Coordinates of all heavy atoms in Angstrom, one line a residue:
R23 N 1.9 1.2 0.8 CA 2.8 2.4 0.8 C 3.5 2.7 -0.5 O 3.7 3.8 -0.9 CB 3.9 2.1 2.0 CG 3.9 3.1 2.9 CD 4.9 2.9 3.9 NE 4.3 2.9 5.3 CZ 4.9 2.7 6.4 NH1 6.1 2.3 6.3 NH2 4.3 2.8 7.6
R43 N 5.6 27.7 -15.7 CA 4.5 28.6 -15.3 C 4.7 30.0 -15.9 O 3.8 30.7 -16.4 CB 4.3 28.7 -13.8 CG 3.5 27.5 -13.2 CD 3.2 27.8 -11.8 NE 4.2 28.0 -10.9 CZ 4.9 27.0 -10.2 NH1 4.5 25.7 -10.5 NH2 5.9 27.3 -9.4
A46 N 4.1 29.9 -19.6 CA 2.6 29.9 -19.9 C 2.0 31.2 -19.6 O 1.1 31.6 -20.5 CB 2.0 28.8 -19.0
E56 N -2.4 39.9 -28.8 CA -2.7 39.7 -30.2 C -4.2 39.7 -30.5 O -4.6 40.2 -31.5 CB -2.1 38.4 -30.7 CG -0.6 38.4 -30.8 CD 0.1 37.1 -31.1 OE1 -0.6 36.1 -31.5 OE2 1.3 37.0 -31.0
E68 N -24.0 41.1 -29.0 CA -24.7 39.9 -28.6 C -23.9 38.6 -28.7 O -23.0 38.6 -29.4 CB -26.1 39.9 -29.2 CG -26.0 39.4 -30.7 CD -25.7 40.6 -31.7 OE1 -25.4 41.7 -31.4 OE2 -25.8 40.2 -32.9
T69 N -24.4 37.6 -28.0 CA -23.9 36.3 -28.2 C -24.9 35.4 -29.0 O -26.1 35.7 -28.9 CB -23.5 35.6 -26.9 OG1 -24.7 35.5 -26.1 CG2 -22.4 36.4 -26.1
L73 N -22.9 30.0 -35.8 CA -22.6 31.0 -36.9 C -23.6 30.7 -37.9 O -24.2 29.7 -38.2 CB -21.3 30.6 -37.4 CG -20.0 30.8 -36.5 CD1 -18.7 30.4 -37.2 CD2 -19.9 32.2 -36.1
R76 N -23.2 28.7 -44.1 CA -22.4 28.9 -45.3 C -21.8 30.4 -45.3 O -21.7 30.9 -46.4 CB -23.3 28.8 -46.4 CG -24.1 27.4 -46.6 CD -24.7 27.2 -47.9 NE -25.8 26.2 -47.9 CZ -25.7 25.0 -47.7 NH1 -24.6 24.5 -47.2 NH2 -26.8 24.2 -47.7
S79 N -15.4 32.6 -43.8 CA -14.6 33.3 -42.8 C -13.2 32.7 -42.7 O -12.9 31.6 -43.1 CB -15.3 33.3 -41.4 OG -15.4 31.9 -41.0
L88 N -11.3 31.2 -30.4 CA -11.2 31.1 -31.8 C -11.9 32.2 -32.4 O -13.0 32.6 -32.0 CB -12.0 29.7 -32.3 CG -11.4 28.4 -31.8 CD1 -12.3 27.3 -32.2 CD2 -10.0 28.3 -32.3
Y90 N -13.4 33.8 -35.8 CA -13.8 33.6 -37.2 C -14.1 35.1 -37.8 O -15.0 35.8 -37.4 CB -15.3 32.9 -37.2 CG -15.1 31.5 -36.7 CD1 -15.2 31.2 -35.3 CD2 -15.0 30.4 -37.6 CE1 -15.0 29.9 -34.9 CE2 -15.0 29.1 -37.1 CZ -15.0 28.9 -35.7 OH -14.9 27.6 -35.3
S93 N -15.4 39.6 -42.2 CA -14.9 40.8 -42.9 C -14.2 41.7 -42.0 O -14.2 41.5 -40.8 CB -16.2 41.5 -43.5 OG -16.9 42.1 -42.5
Y98 N -16.6 36.8 -35.3 CA -17.2 36.0 -34.1 C -16.1 35.4 -33.3 O -15.2 34.8 -33.9 CB -18.1 34.9 -34.8 CG -19.2 35.4 -35.6 CD1 -19.2 35.6 -36.9 CD2 -20.5 35.6 -35.0 CE1 -20.2 36.0 -37.7 CE2 -21.5 36.0 -35.7 CZ -21.5 36.2 -37.1 OH -22.5 36.7 -37.8
V99 N -16.2 35.5 -32.0 CA -15.2 35.0 -31.1 C -15.9 33.9 -30.3 O -16.9 34.0 -29.7 CB -14.6 36.1 -30.3 CG1 -13.6 35.5 -29.3 CG2 -14.0 37.2 -31.1
A103 N -12.7 25.5 -24.0 CA -12.1 25.2 -22.8 C -10.5 24.9 -23.0 O -9.9 24.4 -22.2 CB -12.8 24.0 -22.1
G104 N -10.1 25.1 -24.2 CA -8.7 24.8 -24.6 C -8.6 23.6 -25.4 O -9.6 22.7 -25.3
G112 N -1.2 26.7 -37.5 CA -1.5 26.3 -38.9 C -2.3 25.0 -39.1 O -2.6 24.5 -40.2
L115 N -8.9 22.9 -38.5 CA -9.9 22.7 -37.5 C -10.9 22.0 -38.2 O -11.5 22.4 -39.2 CB -10.4 24.0 -37.0 CG -11.5 23.9 -35.9 CD1 -10.8 23.4 -34.6 CD2 -12.2 25.2 -35.6
T117 N -14.6 20.3 -37.6 CA -15.8 20.4 -36.7 C -16.8 19.3 -37.1 O -17.2 19.2 -38.2 CB -16.4 21.7 -36.7 OG1 -15.4 22.7 -36.6 CG2 -17.4 21.9 -35.7
Q121 N -25.5 19.7 -38.0 CA -26.2 20.8 -38.7 C -25.2 21.2 -39.9 O -24.1 20.8 -39.9 CB -26.5 22.0 -38.0 CG -27.4 21.6 -36.7 CD -27.6 22.8 -35.8 OE1 -27.7 23.9 -36.2 NE2 -27.6 22.5 -34.5
D122 N -25.6 22.2 -40.8 CA -24.7 22.6 -41.7 C -24.0 24.0 -41.3 O -23.6 24.7 -42.1 CB -25.5 22.9 -43.0 CG -26.5 24.0 -42.9 OD1 -26.9 24.2 -41.7 OD2 -27.0 24.5 -43.9
V124 N -21.7 25.8 -37.7 CA -20.9 25.5 -36.4 C -21.7 26.1 -35.3 O -22.1 27.2 -35.3 CB -19.5 26.2 -36.5 CG1 -18.7 26.0 -35.2 CG2 -18.7 25.7 -37.7
R126 N -22.4 26.1 -30.7 CA -22.0 25.9 -29.4 C -22.2 24.3 -29.1 O -23.1 23.8 -29.4 CB -22.7 26.8 -28.4 CG -22.3 26.6 -26.9 CD -23.1 27.5 -26.0 NE -24.5 27.2 -26.1 CZ -25.2 26.4 -25.3 NH1 -24.6 25.7 -24.4 NH2 -26.5 26.2 -25.4
I129 N -18.0 19.5 -31.3 CA -16.7 19.0 -31.0 C -15.8 19.3 -32.2 O -16.1 18.9 -33.3 CB -16.6 17.5 -30.7 CG1 -17.5 17.2 -29.5 CG2 -15.1 17.0 -30.4 CD1 -17.2 17.9 -28.1
T132 N -8.2 19.4 -34.1 CA -7.2 20.0 -34.8 C -6.4 18.9 -35.4 O -6.1 17.8 -34.9 CB -6.3 21.0 -34.0 OG1 -5.8 20.1 -32.9 CG2 -7.0 22.2 -33.6
P140 N -4.2 13.9 -35.8 CA -4.9 14.8 -34.9 C -4.0 15.4 -33.8 O -3.1 14.5 -33.3 CB -5.9 13.9 -34.3 CG -6.2 12.7 -35.2 CD -4.7 12.5 -35.8
S143 N -8.3 18.6 -29.4 CA -9.7 18.8 -29.6 C -10.2 19.7 -28.6 O -9.7 20.0 -27.6 CB -10.3 17.4 -29.6 OG -10.3 16.9 -28.3
G147 N -17.5 27.0 -28.0 CA -18.4 27.7 -27.1 C -19.3 28.6 -27.8 O -19.3 28.7 -29.0
T150 N -19.4 35.3 -29.6 CA -19.7 36.8 -29.3 C -19.5 37.4 -30.6 O -18.4 37.3 -31.3 CB -18.8 37.4 -28.3 OG1 -18.9 36.6 -27.0 CG2 -19.0 38.8 -28.0

Side-chain angles (χ1 to χ4, degrees):
R23 239 182 233 175
R43 279 194 299 275
E56 289 176 9
E68 70 278 5
T69 60
L73 289 180
R76 303 192 205 300
S79 61
L88 297 175
Y90 295 82
S93 72
Y98 296 89
V99 178
L115 187 73
T117 308
Q121 306 172 36
D122 64 344
V124 178
R126 179 178 61 90
I129 302 298
T132 54
S143 67
T150 301

